[in-house]
Amino acid sequence: MKKREKLALVRTHYPNAITTIDSVNCLIDFVEERLDLEPSQIMLADSICSDDVNSIQYPVRASEFLGPFKMGGLDGFPFTGLTGMGAFASHVPDEGAVFVYYGPHIGISKEGVVGEIHRYGQHKGTGCCGAAKGALNKLLNNGIIPGNLNDMDYQMNTIEQILLKEKARIVNAGHPLKEATEVIYEAIDKRINELVSQTKYTCKYVILLGTIHINSDTDIGSFTSAKRFELIDLATNERQNLIGEFLK
């Protein structure tokens, strides 16, 4: 399948999607041309799902950045919290920048099935994101207990509580799984921004790229549907919304 065919498949659901490889290329161009920095001066943190498919499909060129520091647990929620963000912030080169790539993920198979992918060596599709699908299934069957956060399944319970708060919105949506993914994105985006606001950095910039991360079958790869692209100048606290530049 050619690149344009892969993009057409994904853009049926996420019109602004680009390949994850292209998103990394865009970021490298941005830090070199706009910030006059080298990728080796950028400390990358990602808050994406711990699903192994995200490691398998991780863009090779991302290794030009330092890191990545892993902030995300199930479906990308930044479970490492303030301690994780603080630790990560202390690792950044003094004259460099922080780059945080974050968001939930969703699968779209080669056949166009949303919420499924064919993984390497398997003949049948499996859920992606499995945690989001599991939480959604419990939501639709009234199986989520308000306030339930059990130590044995804390991350899953957190995802469930996020969806429960927006039950009517999700249940009434034309595509509940896509809507649940949007709800989870909003929760992740809110938390990342809270963590950034409460963390002290010693570098020059913070770069935030909030996305819906899209996985597909092994031979198709992964994609980025950007929802936030911002630059924070730590010397002035100026915050620039640059999503238009990322999507052009």
Side-chain angles (χ1 to χ4, degrees):
M1 185 180 285
K2 297 180 176 65
K3 178 179 176 180
R4 65 175 180 271
E5 295 170 330
K6 297 175 184 178
L7 286 169
L9 171 71
V10 173
R11 286 174 175 171
T12 300
H13 298 279
Y14 295 96
N16 73 347
I18 61 175
T19 67
T20 310
I21 293 169
D22 284 344
S23 72
V24 172
N25 291 338
C26 286
L27 255 297
I28 290 175
D29 288 346
F30 176 78
V31 300
E32 290 182 341
E33 295 171 11
R34 285 288 301 271
L35 305 183
D36 197 28
L37 296 174
E38 296 291 333
S40 60
Q41 294 176 281
I42 310 300
M43 177 61 74
L44 165 64
D46 64 48
S47 194
I48 58 177
C49 188
S50 45
D51 189 327
D52 50 271
V53 72
N54 285 328
S55 296
I56 293 168
Q57 296 181 347
Y58 213 82
V60 173
R61 203 176 177 205
S63 64
E64 294 185 33
F65 299 124
L66 300 174
F69 186 96
K70 295 293 188 178
M71 297 183 64
L74 291 180
D75 213 11
F77 195 82
F79 286 101
T80 59
L82 274 173
T83 299
M85 183 67 90
F88 160 64
S90 71
H91 303 164
V92 185
D94 294 340
E95 298 300 311
V98 163
F99 167 41
V100 185
Y101 179 97
Y102 63 91
H105 73 143
I106 190 168
I108 302 177
S109 73
K110 186 185 298 183
E111 292 76 26
V113 179
V114 176
E116 278 193 10
I117 59 172
H118 287 94
R119 298 171 189 266
Y120 183 80
Q122 294 188 341
H123 298 293
K124 294 182 179 180
T126 56
C128 181
C129 173
K133 291 186 75 173
L136 175 61
N137 186 57
K138 286 185 72 173
L139 182 75
L140 297 176
N141 288 283
N142 299 312
I144 299 175
I145 302 170
N148 178 53
L149 292 171
N150 188 303
D151 286 348
M152 291 296 290
D153 209 5
Y154 178 79
Q155 292 193 13
M156 183 62 174
N157 293 160
T158 299
I159 299 301
E160 292 169 356
Q161 296 302 316
I162 289 169
L163 297 192
L164 184 61
K165 291 177 183 177
E166 298 291 342
K167 181 176 181 178
R169 169 182 165 187
I170 295 167
V171 169
N172 293 320
H175 199 302
L177 180 60
K178 284 180 63 179
E179 195 66 28
T181 302
E182 293 291 332
V183 167
I184 295 168
Y185 169 79
E186 291 164 10
I188 295 171
D189 182 64
K190 181 175 183 289
R191 180 57 55 87
I192 288 289
N193 279 277
E194 289 170 342
L195 295 174
V196 168
S197 70
Q198 296 180 47
T199 300
K200 180 176 175 57
Y201 302 94
T202 58
C203 55
K204 288 185 172 182
Y205 306 103
V206 173
I207 305 163
L208 299 178
L209 179 55
T211 79
I212 303 295
H213 187 76
I214 304 146
N215 301 105
S216 191
D217 298 358
T218 300
D219 58 340
I220 295 180
S222 63
F223 303 82
T224 294
S225 176
K227 298 177 74 66
R228 181 191 294 272
F229 182 47
E230 291 188 345
L231 175 69
I232 304 170
D233 186 325
L234 294 169
T236 63
N237 286 322
E238 179 187 7
R239 192 167 186 142
Q240 296 181 62
N241 177 3
L242 301 172
I243 190 70
E245 292 192 24
F246 189 81
L247 297 177
K248 68 182 179 181

